[in-house]
């Protein structure tokens, strides 16, 4: 599965024509991806028939910005859901670098249990394995839409994180607790990385 970042309908058509299987729709590439407008989503949805995962993030970094900011983001998520968005991307950490399970549960509820990716906040987590286990435990009745992790294995990109990605792919193959969600390899991904990752069982890639 090849997932391609897009900013607008023109990007979406180009990604489709280039062979994308799925799109990640964001605003503001310089900020590493923020929530797009409802109108932009509608234009992208009208332009292509590909699945579209929509970013839910309203500021740089991986903190929610407090209760008021989280409430506002949940409202934007509900508006996008009402527009027809049914797949999302999100990921928040607390001050200790652990998964912000409360924020993720609120957003999961706002999008009515739609499938979502935990994005590269995992690469900034204090303990990657604990984050996965915390989210797996929270999935019972709360963060139930989590089906994948977008990760480079390192905050510094796939070159630095290759060994982590290979190890986590093996844990996914072994069905270890917390490793059921699919790995989407992305963040400095190059063509020469793909064969090694694919041989380890990684089947999803993000550019």
């Amino acid at each position: 599965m090849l997932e391609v970042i897009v900013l607008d309908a023109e990007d979406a058509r180009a990604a489709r024509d280039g062979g994308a299987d799925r799109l990640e729709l964001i605003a503001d590439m310089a900020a590493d991806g923020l929530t797009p407008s409802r109108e932009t989503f509608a234009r992208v949805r009208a332009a292509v028939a590909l699945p579209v995962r929509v970013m839910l993030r309203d500021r740089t970094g991986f903190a929610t910005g407090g209760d008021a900011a989280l409430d506002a983001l949940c409202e934007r998520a509900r508006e996008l859901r009402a527009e027809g968005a049914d797949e999302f991307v999100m990921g928040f950490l607390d001050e200790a670098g652990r998964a912000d399970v409360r924020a993720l549960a609120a957003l999961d509820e706002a999008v009515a249990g739609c499938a979502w990716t935990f994005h590269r906040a995992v690469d900034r987590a204090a303990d990657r394995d604990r984050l996965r286990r915390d989210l797996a435990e929270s999935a019972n009745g709360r963060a139930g839409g989590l089906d994948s992790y977008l990760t480079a294995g390192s905050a510094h990109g796939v070159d630095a994180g290759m060994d982590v990605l290979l190890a986590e792919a093996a844990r996914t193959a072994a069905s270890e607790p917390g490793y059921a969600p699919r790995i989407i390899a992305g963040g400095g991904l190059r063509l020469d990385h793909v064969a090694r990752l694919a041989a380890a069982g990684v089947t999803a890639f993000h550019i």
Side-chain angles (χ1 to χ4, degrees), residues 2-188:
L2 177 62
E3 179 178 83
V4 177
I5 298 170
V6 302
L7 295 168
D8 53 30
E10 182 180 3
D11 281 357
R13 287 187 287 266
R16 176 200 61 197
D17 294 346
D21 300 300
R22 189 169 80 193
L23 308 179
E24 180 187 87
L25 178 62
I26 68 169
D28 197 346
M29 185 76 81
D32 294 326
L34 302 179
T35 305
S37 70
R38 181 173 179 168
E39 294 77 14
T40 297
F41 170 77
R43 287 191 288 270
V44 167
R45 182 69 294 156
V48 296
L50 294 175
V52 180
R53 292 220 162 179
V54 182
M55 179 65 76
L56 296 176
R57 183 170 179 252
D58 63 359
R59 64 196 62 232
T60 58
F62 301 110
T64 61
D67 288 348
L70 177 59
D71 289 346
L73 187 59
C74 285
E75 181 57 30
R76 293 192 70 186
R78 284 188 286 269
E79 291 172 357
L80 286 159
R81 184 74 185 92
E83 191 65 48
D86 57 6
E87 300 182 47
F88 295 89
V89 183
M90 62 182 101
F92 297 98
L93 304 176
D94 64 18
E95 292 181 355
R98 295 178 61 180
D100 189 337
V101 173
R102 186 180 70 87
L104 293 165
L107 285 163
D108 184 71
E109 183 177 355
V111 300
C114 291
W116 53 273
T117 299
F118 190 96
H119 64 55
R120 288 197 59 207
V122 65
D123 293 335
R124 300 283 186 178
D127 183 331
R128 297 172 65 93
D129 181 61
R130 181 169 184 170
L131 180 144
R132 280 177 168 270
R133 287 186 281 111
D134 285 349
L135 287 176
E137 290 168 5
S138 75
N140 184 15
R142 294 197 291 171
L146 172 64
D147 70 357
S148 53
Y149 284 91
L150 172 60
T151 176
S154 165
H156 303 292
V158 173
D159 267 338
M162 177 62 76
D163 289 345
V164 171
L165 290 174
L166 297 177
E168 290 186 349
R171 298 180 78 172
T172 296
S175 302
E176 289 192 23
Y179 288 83
R182 184 182 203 179
I183 293 171
I184 306 174

